[in-house]
Amino acid sequence: MTEAKTPSVAVNVAVFGAGRIGRIHAANLARQPGVRLKYVVDVNREAAAALAAQHGAQVADLDGAFGDASIDATVICSSTDTHSELILKSAAAGKHIFCEKPVDLAIGRARECADAVARAGVVAMIGFQRRYDPTFAALKARLDAGEIGTPEMLIVTSRDPGAPPVEYIKHSGGIFKDMLIHDFDIFRWILDDEAETVHATGSCLSDAAIADAGDIDSTAVTIRTKRGRLCQINTARRAAYGYDQRFEILGSEGMLQAGNMKPTEVVAWTQSAVAQDVPEAFFLERYRAAYAREMAHFYEAVTQGTPVRTSVADGLKALELAEAAALSWREGRVVTLGG
Amino acid sequence: MTEAKTPSVAVNVAVFGAGRIGRIHAANLARQPGVRLKYVVDVNREAAAALAAQHGAQVADLDGAFGDASIDATVICSSTDTHSELILKSAAAGKHIFCEKPVDLAIGRARECADAVARAGVVAMIGFQRRYDPTFAALKARLDAGEIGTPEMLIVTSRDPGAPPVEYIKHSGGIFKDMLIHDFDIFRWILDDEAETVHATGSCLSDAAIADAGDIDSTAVTIRTKRGRLCQINTARRAAYGYDQRFEILGSEGMLQAGNMKPTEVVAWTQSAVAQDVPEAFFLERYRAAYAREMAHFYEAVTQGTPVRTSVADGLKALELAEAAALSWREGRVVTLGG
Amino acid sequence: MTEAKTPSVAVNVAVFGAGRIGRIHAANLARQPGVRLKYVVDVNREAAAALAAQHGAQVADLDGAFGDASIDATVICSSTDTHSELILKSAAAGKHIFCEKPVDLAIGRARECADAVARAGVVAMIGFQRRYDPTFAALKARLDAGEIGTPEMLIVTSRDPGAPPVEYIKHSGGIFKDMLIHDFDIFRWILDDEAETVHATGSCLSDAAIADAGDIDSTAVTIRTKRGRLCQINTARRAAYGYDQRFEILGSEGMLQAGNMKPTEVVAWTQSAVAQDVPEAFFLERYRAAYAREMAHFYEAVTQGTPVRTSVADGLKALELAEAAALSWREGRVVTLGG
Amino acid sequence: MTEAKTPSVAVNVAVFGAGRIGRIHAANLARQPGVRLKYVVDVNREAAAALAAQHGAQVADLDGAFGDASIDATVICSSTDTHSELILKSAAAGKHIFCEKPVDLAIGRARECADAVARAGVVAMIGFQRRYDPTFAALKARLDAGEIGTPEMLIVTSRDPGAPPVEYIKHSGGIFKDMLIHDFDIFRWILDDEAETVHATGSCLSDAAIADAGDIDSTAVTIRTKRGRLCQINTARRAAYGYDQRFEILGSEGMLQAGNMKPTEVVAWTQSAVAQDVPEAFFLERYRAAYAREMAHFYEAVTQGTPVRTSVADGLKALELAEAAALSWREGRVVTLGG
């Protein structure tokens, strides 16, 4: 939609992780005028080779990638447990960083990363792609322009079409860190405020195996901000009708809603109903434009020094909220956030 | 919704026709503060008796009703072939008149009625209830207020849920006089202009018996007005999803659409679709509010001398368009309207 | 919409309170085939006289109304502080009771009422009109029919167009008893479950005078039910776009939403936007059909002995939730409900 | 959205025309796995050079492009008056052809092209991109699957955001050939039927200069098909709210509508309205996905021999309808189509 207006600047990139999201980021990066995908690193050599071939890159291992001084930036799409190590390595080597969420499942470790990138002075961006979504970004811009006055209340609905395998859930850090981390980031971004108290409750309603793994699949979270604004988040691992990503913000002079996107604009009128499409199937479809804009944003930050919209500090803040929510849920009480 | 603000003025009424629409008009009239339903006249004495009982009226025959000098107004809901006679009788007796459409199937006879009520100086209103519909009336008011600049093009969609019995169709005067007469009135009202040329075509697609009766069930009509504005009307005797009553008007600065009404605002999201209610079932449900406002309008005209929105002259004009359209269809040519 | 199918049974009624809602109930009652409005009681004699005149009733005082043994039912629309007294008097006199919400601001007193009507064996119905709303009732019926499987999560949005005068707020019992009581009833009705824990928080964001009166204008409530289902309620005393009454329920097989109603179905397409009507202005407009059905339901219960959908026990349960929520808000903690 | 599933086959392409649409087609072609853009031809050498540089192609003139035997396909996006010459040259040289609409403004010449490509046996596809639009294509597939029974009536709304310069209009062949040609193609595709009679009328309502150029800016066309189905098309050169591309088809068992697409799913509720985005600005935005799929379709046809959805014969048929409509408008009569 938007054509790059910036003069092409050469940027050499190493991509870590050749899975689903790695392939998407690689393709979007490749579209930036000056980007050269130099290395793809993945323990799955076959996946690495396929992705490398597609973009004229080479397969490398960690040492190979970090040993090449010409690499300007790393794009980290590998498994969560490798994020912080790769961020620290990249920062130490003075390379710009794009890293998928979360920074790390452990807050201490995430803080270490935030400190490291700050010291290194590199561009470091976390993959909260929702902030780059055309609908969400337009809503935010209109909110900031004062269209509905002062924000007062935010309602976030965030439901997946189905739960991931229980094996995944066991290593996910729990629903608050794995799934709601995006919603916590939306909360901070839209309300432009920080949490004072968090209350979370939840249930396991779709699959007993999730409860057996110590997790829940449905949550209801309430945040009250330092300025007294209210936020309610509701999430579910399973919505029969598909991926549901909506939010609405009530302001002193009106309300802005961000609705779901549909694959087509067909409406069918039959004897029983007037029917429209269910929402885009899942995040890859729903956030296709967001992923493209995210990489353009990263490229712009790297080449022009513009600030990133989703920093490692943002990743850290979302993680703190996830921890607080998990604590609230486990102990059945309201949690007050420090500082 | 709107409570009568006028002081109650006593009006004695005789209702002709105790069928479905007669019962609706009687109930709406009875709600006007000063109306007294004095007589119900119907060849079906049982229906007349039931309706009379409901409103504390008496059953009468024609002579009885017209013989009572205290009757101020007649409400004519009897069969089409009695309309003109009752209009002429009422006008001659100096009684105010509400008459269902059409004035008459024969234009000459309709003109006679228009002349008679003009001479008599009585209030005479034709039941084009759509002009009183809250949605349609709001659209018209906004159009007249200049919200979309100068009107240029009108698209009217008018579909019934199912065809009436062929026996009815045989005596209906044909689809143009029976069904499109409402659409022709909408055309004149919304565009505030008169037809210069009419083209109509059509087909019989739902039931061969309609073709055997010399009629069609689907039409496509185009009108070009004296000021060069365009109007397209599409109608069908059968829409599987129910009663479809929409129109839209393109102006130099925008468009106004009047959409269907739904029984409820429930939306169901399931695996296959996001589904809303089909439209209100048929005219009795769709135009419930319109019928109520129509009678309030008649009462106001009778008691306060305000002009009627749908005069006998309007009924005549719609009939002329129906004749022109029928001629265009039969002869396969564009018809130019006189005067 | 629905015509009474029941044979007319004579019911003599005394109406207490000739204010806005009293006039609506009186008009809806008057439409029931066998109802005779015999007395209107109000400390404002002028208002009482006007309403009595409209329906051929007489003005009476408490003793007059209760002294007439022919009175079958009382309709209590007077100020909140008179509800329980009139309920108890009516029960003692063996009269059927319709009473506006709340039963009483004090739970003990409300329990007394519940006991009294149970002992008396009279029909006793509380004015939770939302349960009679066509959209809400259709949603509930479809939910009960299994259209979306097992209910899991309920999101209720309930916003008024503007706050009432602070004087009113001071005697309202607080936002949870005054405003959310309807939402608590919706929660119990839709989820068909009882609360186990309640968490409530809130803020005063629109008018400092409300905070000075010890109340808030914005709330966020979360309920977890005995069966582990989740409910989030968000309310505001002021929504710039008008009265906002929506809810949605996520089930194991889909979602049902109840949307706002609009005055008209006009859509305007102009250079800046595609615009529809804001919602119906306030409860009198939004719940017009609900109020009519509510009285028909009461009449049916009185004349046919059918059970009421909104009992005094329901009123009591909603009140208990309001107390728990207020406690949660004041003490900043999760409240567990007894029993 | 759809990834190419076909193995990459090398196809060498020459693009004629480096204007707006040429650049879009070139970019979409370049994404096909085996396509090599070898030449860009344009009288504007600068535009040609820019586009060639972007895709690693060379600038060539006509002789250069046609002189290279390795060229497999030509993509013709140059001005309308060059289409037929380039089609004939390509066919003579045995090259596959993609050509923007129209084939030619003169029917005789368009027939010559249809004959030539048929004799040559090359793939020859006309750029009726709407047939490749995800919404329109989904509607067509659902129609063909019988979702609404037998099609009976088609209503097409086709409005541009603003008229092109009068200089363009003068050489456009008139509104029927320039603008409605797409709508005529939609008509044939959706109804899968041919016209028996055509009636067209129109007006010049937006700019007198268009009338001075002998053209109109608003049209209303009605087609009755050989099987008695009805189609109404309404078009305008100017819609203040933007590009309006809708159609709906009534079938014996329901209706399918294709609605406009919006840039975002933001909804704003303010005091005056509930407002959504106006439609995508113009064809480049609205049909972005369609253009991409169109080129993928062409590539598939070239490499796999699959039939094209939009043939030169389709281009010819649409042109015949445009001629018939223009005749009907000029002479004010119904035109019957031959054979």
Side-chain angles (χ1 to χ4, degrees):
Chain A
M1 194 181 307
T2 51
E3 300 181 34
K5 288 162 208 91
T6 63
S8 150
V9 177
V11 177
N12 291 318
V13 178
V15 171
F16 298 87
R20 205 165 44 169
I21 195 72
R23 290 198 299 271
I24 286 172
H25 289 325
N28 283 321
L29 264 178
R31 248 175 247 158
Q32 306 309 317
V35 163
R36 184 174 162 219
L37 253 65
K38 219 161 165 188
Y39 301 116
V40 176
V41 184
D42 198 304
V43 289
N44 179 338
R45 300 288 290 196
E46 207 173 314
L51 182 56
Q54 208 176 331
H55 295 290
Q58 288 178 266
V59 173
D61 60 11
L62 233 62
D63 290 345
F66 281 104
D68 182 343
S70 78
I71 289 295
D72 301 298
T74 59
V75 169
I76 305 170
C77 319
S78 43
S79 63
T80 294
D81 57 359
T82 66
H83 288 184
S84 57
E85 182 198 346
L86 291 170
I87 289 174
L88 294 173
K89 256 187 195 299
S90 302
K95 301 191 187 312
H96 301 303
I97 300 159
F98 173 90
C99 183
E100 268 303 310
K101 65 92 201 168
V103 180
D104 197 278
L105 292 179
I107 281 203
R109 186 81 171 157
R111 281 205 189 104
E112 215 178 304
C113 290
D115 292 347
V117 300
R119 272 196 315 271
V122 294
V123 168
M125 183 170 147
I126 294 298
F128 287 135
Q129 87 284 352
R130 294 189 196 174
R131 294 205 195 187
Y132 305 94
D133 175 66
T135 288
F136 293 0
L139 183 152
K140 172 66 170 164
R142 291 167 67 170
L143 177 66
D144 289 351
E147 190 169 324
I148 57 161
T150 310
E152 295 179 351
M153 221 190 273
L154 173 68
I155 312 297
V156 179
T157 298
S158 181
R159 299 169 188 159
D160 282 357
V166 171
E167 268 320 297
Y168 171 92
I169 284 178
K170 280 180 187 163
H171 301 91
S172 69
I175 193 169
F176 296 105
K177 283 188 188 170
D178 183 56
M179 188 173 165
L180 280 88
I181 194 139
H182 281 294
D183 306 304
F184 291 130
D185 183 60
I186 286 288
F187 150 73
R188 292 185 59 250
W189 178 50
I190 293 295
L191 280 182
D192 203 10
D193 203 350
E194 298 295 342
E196 187 165 278
T197 59
V198 174
H199 170 258
T201 185
S203 286
C204 182
L205 298 168
S206 70
D207 182 356
I210 293 174
D212 292 343
D215 208 352
I216 48 181
D217 57 17
S218 306
T219 78
V221 176
T222 302
I223 303 172
R224 192 174 183 282
T225 73
K226 295 194 187 306
R227 281 186 271 181
R229 294 164 182 180
L230 307 176
C231 171
Q232 285 191 313
I233 301 170
N234 75 81
T235 68
R237 283 283 193 190
R238 178 204 52 194
Y241 54 89
Y243 193 46
D244 191 352
Q245 301 276 293
R246 289 170 289 147
F247 63 81
E248 68 179 43
I249 173 127
L250 177 68
S252 54
E253 293 167 29
M255 171 171 61
L256 287 167
Q257 294 177 314
N260 284 315
M261 288 172 64
K262 301 183 289 284
T264 80
E265 294 294 335
V266 175
V267 185
W269 301 58
T270 53
Q271 207 160 3
S272 55
V274 178
Q276 299 185 58
D277 282 7
V278 292
E280 293 279 7
F282 206 6
F283 63 96
L284 296 181
E285 294 84 6
R286 170 64 185 85
Y287 290 115
R288 193 155 21 108
Y291 288 124
R293 292 183 177 202
E294 186 178 52
M295 277 302 130
H297 182 85
F298 180 59
Y299 176 72
E300 195 185 329
V302 166
T303 55
Q304 312 211 349
T306 47
V308 295
R309 198 182 291 168
T310 48
S311 68
V312 176
D314 290 317
L316 184 58
K317 286 282 189 185
L319 200 62
E320 287 169 358
L321 278 166
E323 289 244 319
L327 181 65
S328 171
W329 163 59
R330 276 196 309 271
E331 303 193 350
R333 63 177 179 90
V334 176
V335 170
T336 303
L337 276 96
Chain B
M1 191 182 310
T2 50
E3 301 182 33
K5 287 161 210 90
T6 62
S8 150
V9 177
V11 177
N12 292 319
V13 178
V15 172
F16 298 86
R20 203 164 45 169
I21 196 70
R23 291 198 298 270
I24 286 172
H25 288 324
N28 283 320
L29 263 180
R31 249 175 247 159
Q32 306 309 316
V35 162
R36 184 173 163 220
L37 252 65
K38 219 162 165 187
Y39 302 115
V40 176
V41 184
D42 197 305
V43 288
N44 179 338
R45 300 288 290 196
E46 208 173 313
L51 183 56
Q54 208 177 329
H55 296 290
Q58 288 176 268
V59 173
D61 60 11
L62 233 63
D63 290 345
F66 281 104
D68 182 344
S70 78
I71 289 296
D72 301 298
T74 60
V75 170
I76 304 169
C77 318
S78 44
S79 63
T80 295
D81 57 359
T82 66
H83 287 185
S84 58
E85 181 197 345
L86 291 169
I87 289 173
L88 294 174
K89 257 187 193 301
S90 300
K95 302 191 187 312
H96 301 303
I97 301 159
F98 173 89
C99 182
E100 269 302 311
K101 65 91 202 168
V103 181
D104 197 278
L105 292 179
I107 282 203
R109 186 80 170 158
R111 281 206 189 103
E112 216 178 304
C113 290
D115 292 347
V117 299
R119 270 196 317 269
V122 294
V123 168
M125 185 170 145
I126 293 298
F128 286 135
Q129 87 283 354
R130 295 189 194 174
R131 293 204 194 189
Y132 304 94
D133 175 67
T135 288
F136 292 1
L139 184 152
K140 172 64 171 166
R142 291 167 68 170
L143 177 67
D144 288 352
E147 191 169 323
I148 58 161
T150 310
E152 294 177 354
M153 222 190 272
L154 172 69
I155 312 297
V156 179
T157 298
S158 181
R159 299 170 188 159
D160 283 356
V166 171
E167 267 319 297
Y168 171 90
I169 284 178
K170 280 180 186 163
H171 301 93
S172 69
I175 193 169
F176 296 104
K177 283 188 186 169
D178 182 56
M179 187 174 166
L180 280 88
I181 196 139
H182 281 294
D183 306 304
F184 291 130
D185 184 60
I186 286 288
F187 150 74
R188 291 185 61 249
W189 178 49
I190 293 295
L191 281 181
D192 203 10
D193 202 350
E194 300 294 342
E196 186 165 279
T197 58
V198 175
H199 170 257
T201 185
S203 286
C204 182
L205 297 168
S206 70
D207 182 357
I210 294 174
D212 292 344
D215 208 351
I216 47 182
D217 56 19
S218 308
T219 77
V221 176
T222 302
I223 303 172
R224 192 174 184 281
T225 73
K226 292 191 187 309
R227 281 186 271 180
R229 295 164 182 179
L230 306 175
C231 170
Q232 285 192 312
I233 300 169
N234 75 81
T235 68
R237 283 283 194 191
R238 178 203 53 194
Y241 53 90
Y243 192 47
D244 191 352
Q245 299 278 293
R246 289 171 288 148
F247 62 81
E248 67 180 43
I249 173 129
L250 177 70
S252 53
E253 293 167 29
M255 170 171 62
L256 288 167
Q257 293 178 314
N260 283 317
M261 289 172 65
K262 302 184 288 284
T264 80
E265 293 294 333
V266 176
V267 185
W269 300 59
T270 53
Q271 206 160 3
S272 56
V274 178
Q276 299 186 58
D277 283 6
V278 291
E280 294 278 9
F282 206 5
F283 63 96
L284 296 181
E285 295 84 6
R286 169 65 186 86
Y287 290 114
R288 194 154 22 107
Y291 288 125
R293 292 183 178 203
E294 186 178 54
M295 277 301 132
H297 182 85
F298 180 58
Y299 176 71
E300 196 186 328
V302 165
T303 56
Q304 313 210 348
T306 46
V308 295
R309 198 182 291 168
T310 47
S311 67
V312 176
D314 290 318
L316 183 60
K317 285 282 190 185
L319 199 64
E320 287 169 358
L321 278 165
E323 289 244 320
L327 181 66
S328 171
W329 162 60
R330 276 196 310 271
E331 303 194 350
R333 64 176 178 90
V334 177
V335 169
T336 302
L337 276 96
Chain C
M1 191 181 309
T2 50
E3 298 183 34
K5 290 162 208 90
T6 62
S8 151
V9 177
V11 177
N12 292 320
V13 177
V15 172
F16 297 86
R20 206 165 43 171
I21 195 71
R23 290 199 298 272
I24 286 172
H25 288 325
N28 283 320
L29 264 178
R31 248 175 249 157
Q32 307 310 316
V35 162
R36 184 173 163 218
L37 253 64
K38 218 162 164 186
Y39 301 115
V40 176
V41 184
D42 197 303
V43 289
N44 180 338
R45 300 288 289 196
E46 209 173 313
L51 183 56
Q54 209 177 331
H55 295 291
Q58 287 176 270
V59 174
D61 59 12
L62 234 63
D63 290 345
F66 280 104
D68 181 344
S70 77
I71 290 295
D72 301 298
T74 60
V75 169
I76 305 170
C77 318
S78 44
S79 63
T80 294
D81 57 0
T82 66
H83 288 185
S84 56
E85 182 197 344
L86 291 171
I87 289 174
L88 294 173
K89 257 187 194 301
S90 300
K95 302 192 187 311
H96 302 302
I97 300 159
F98 173 90
C99 182
E100 267 304 308
K101 65 92 202 166
V103 180
D104 197 278
L105 292 180
I107 281 202
R109 186 81 172 159
R111 281 207 188 102
E112 216 177 302
C113 290
D115 292 346
V117 300
R119 271 198 314 272
V122 294
V123 168
M125 183 169 147
I126 294 297
F128 286 135
Q129 87 284 354
R130 293 188 197 176
R131 293 203 194 189
Y132 305 94
D133 175 66
T135 287
F136 292 1
L139 183 152
K140 171 66 170 163
R142 291 167 66 170
L143 177 66
D144 289 351
E147 189 168 323
I148 58 162
T150 310
E152 295 178 353
M153 221 191 274
L154 174 68
I155 312 297
V156 179
T157 298
S158 181
R159 300 170 187 159
D160 282 357
V166 171
E167 267 320 298
Y168 171 91
I169 283 178
K170 279 180 187 163
H171 300 94
S172 70
I175 192 168
F176 296 105
K177 283 188 188 170
D178 183 55
M179 188 173 164
L180 280 88
I181 195 139
H182 281 294
D183 306 305
F184 291 131
D185 183 61
I186 286 287
F187 151 73
R188 292 185 60 251
W189 178 50
I190 293 295
L191 280 182
D192 203 8
D193 203 351
E194 298 295 343
E196 186 164 280
T197 59
V198 173
H199 169 257
T201 185
S203 286
C204 181
L205 298 168
S206 71
D207 182 356
I210 293 174
D212 293 343
D215 208 352
I216 48 182
D217 57 17
S218 306
T219 79
V221 177
T222 302
I223 303 171
R224 194 175 183 280
T225 73
K226 294 192 188 307
R227 281 185 269 181
R229 294 164 182 180
L230 306 175
C231 171
Q232 285 192 312
I233 301 170
N234 75 81
T235 68
R237 283 282 194 191
R238 178 205 51 195
Y241 54 90
Y243 192 46
D244 192 353
Q245 301 276 295
R246 289 170 289 147
F247 62 81
E248 68 180 43
I249 174 127
L250 177 69
S252 55
E253 293 166 31
M255 171 171 61
L256 287 167
Q257 294 177 312
N260 284 316
M261 289 171 64
K262 301 183 289 286
T264 80
E265 294 295 334
V266 175
V267 185
W269 301 59
T270 53
Q271 206 160 2
S272 56
V274 178
Q276 299 186 58
D277 283 7
V278 292
E280 293 278 8
F282 207 5
F283 62 96
L284 296 181
E285 294 83 6
R286 170 62 185 86
Y287 290 115
R288 194 152 24 106
Y291 287 124
R293 292 184 178 202
E294 186 178 52
M295 277 301 130
H297 183 84
F298 179 60
Y299 176 72
E300 196 186 327
V302 166
T303 55
Q304 314 210 347
T306 47
V308 295
R309 198 182 293 167
T310 48
S311 68
V312 176
D314 290 317
L316 184 58
K317 286 283 188 185
L319 200 63
E320 286 169 358
L321 278 166
E323 288 246 320
L327 182 65
S328 170
W329 162 61
R330 275 195 311 271
E331 304 194 349
R333 64 177 179 89
V334 177
V335 170
T336 303
L337 276 97
Chain D
M1 190 180 310
T2 52
E3 299 182 34
K5 288 160 209 92
T6 63
S8 150
V9 176
V11 176
N12 292 318
V13 177
V15 171
F16 297 87
R20 205 165 43 172
I21 195 71
R23 290 199 299 271
I24 286 171
H25 289 324
N28 283 320
L29 264 178
R31 249 174 247 157
Q32 307 309 317
V35 161
R36 184 172 163 222
L37 253 64
K38 218 162 165 187
Y39 301 116
V40 176
V41 184
D42 197 303
V43 288
N44 179 337
R45 300 287 292 195
E46 210 174 312
L51 182 56
Q54 209 177 330
H55 296 290
Q58 287 177 269
V59 173
D61 61 10
L62 234 63
D63 291 344
F66 281 105
D68 182 342
S70 76
I71 290 295
D72 301 298
T74 60
V75 169
I76 305 169
C77 318
S78 43
S79 63
T80 294
D81 58 358
T82 66
H83 288 185
S84 57
E85 182 198 344
L86 291 169
I87 289 174
L88 294 174
K89 257 185 193 304
S90 301
K95 301 188 186 316
H96 302 302
I97 300 159
F98 173 89
C99 182
E100 269 303 310
K101 65 93 203 167
V103 180
D104 197 278
L105 292 179
I107 281 203
R109 186 79 172 161
R111 281 206 189 103
E112 216 178 302
C113 290
D115 292 347
V117 299
R119 271 196 315 271
V122 294
V123 168
M125 183 170 147
I126 293 298
F128 286 134
Q129 87 283 354
R130 294 189 195 174
R131 293 203 194 189
Y132 304 93
D133 175 67
T135 288
F136 293 0
L139 183 151
K140 172 64 171 166
R142 292 167 67 170
L143 176 67
D144 288 352
E147 190 169 321
I148 57 162
T150 309
E152 295 178 352
M153 222 190 274
L154 173 69
I155 312 297
V156 179
T157 299
S158 180
R159 298 168 189 160
D160 283 355
V166 171
E167 267 319 296
Y168 172 90
I169 284 179
K170 279 180 186 163
H171 300 93
S172 70
I175 193 168
F176 296 104
K177 283 188 188 171
D178 183 55
M179 187 174 165
L180 281 88
I181 194 140
H182 281 294
D183 306 304
F184 291 130
D185 184 59
I186 286 287
F187 151 73
R188 291 185 60 250
W189 178 49
I190 293 295
L191 280 182
D192 204 9
D193 202 351
E194 299 294 343
E196 186 163 280
T197 58
V198 173
H199 170 256
T201 184
S203 285
C204 182
L205 298 167
S206 70
D207 182 356
I210 293 174
D212 292 344
D215 208 352
I216 47 182
D217 56 18
S218 307
T219 78
V221 176
T222 302
I223 303 172
R224 192 175 185 278
T225 73
K226 292 192 187 309
R227 281 186 270 180
R229 294 163 182 181
L230 307 175
C231 170
Q232 285 192 311
I233 301 170
N234 75 80
T235 68
R237 284 283 193 189
R238 179 202 53 193
Y241 53 90
Y243 192 47
D244 192 351
Q245 300 277 292
R246 290 171 287 148
F247 63 81
E248 67 180 44
I249 174 128
L250 177 69
S252 53
E253 293 166 31
M255 170 171 61
L256 287 166
Q257 294 178 312
N260 284 315
M261 289 172 64
K262 301 183 289 285
T264 81
E265 294 295 333
V266 175
V267 186
W269 301 58
T270 53
Q271 205 160 3
S272 56
V274 178
Q276 299 187 58
D277 283 7
V278 293
E280 293 279 8
F282 206 6
F283 63 97
L284 296 181
E285 295 84 6
R286 170 63 186 86
Y287 290 115
R288 194 153 24 107
Y291 288 124
R293 292 182 177 203
E294 184 178 55
M295 277 301 131
H297 182 84
F298 179 59
Y299 177 71
E300 196 186 328
V302 166
T303 56
Q304 313 209 348
T306 47
V308 296
R309 196 181 295 168
T310 48
S311 68
V312 177
D314 290 318
L316 184 58
K317 286 283 190 185
L319 200 63
E320 286 169 358
L321 279 165
E323 288 245 320
L327 182 65
S328 171
W329 162 59
R330 275 195 311 272
E331 303 195 349
R333 64 177 179 91
V334 177
V335 169
T336 302
L337 275 96

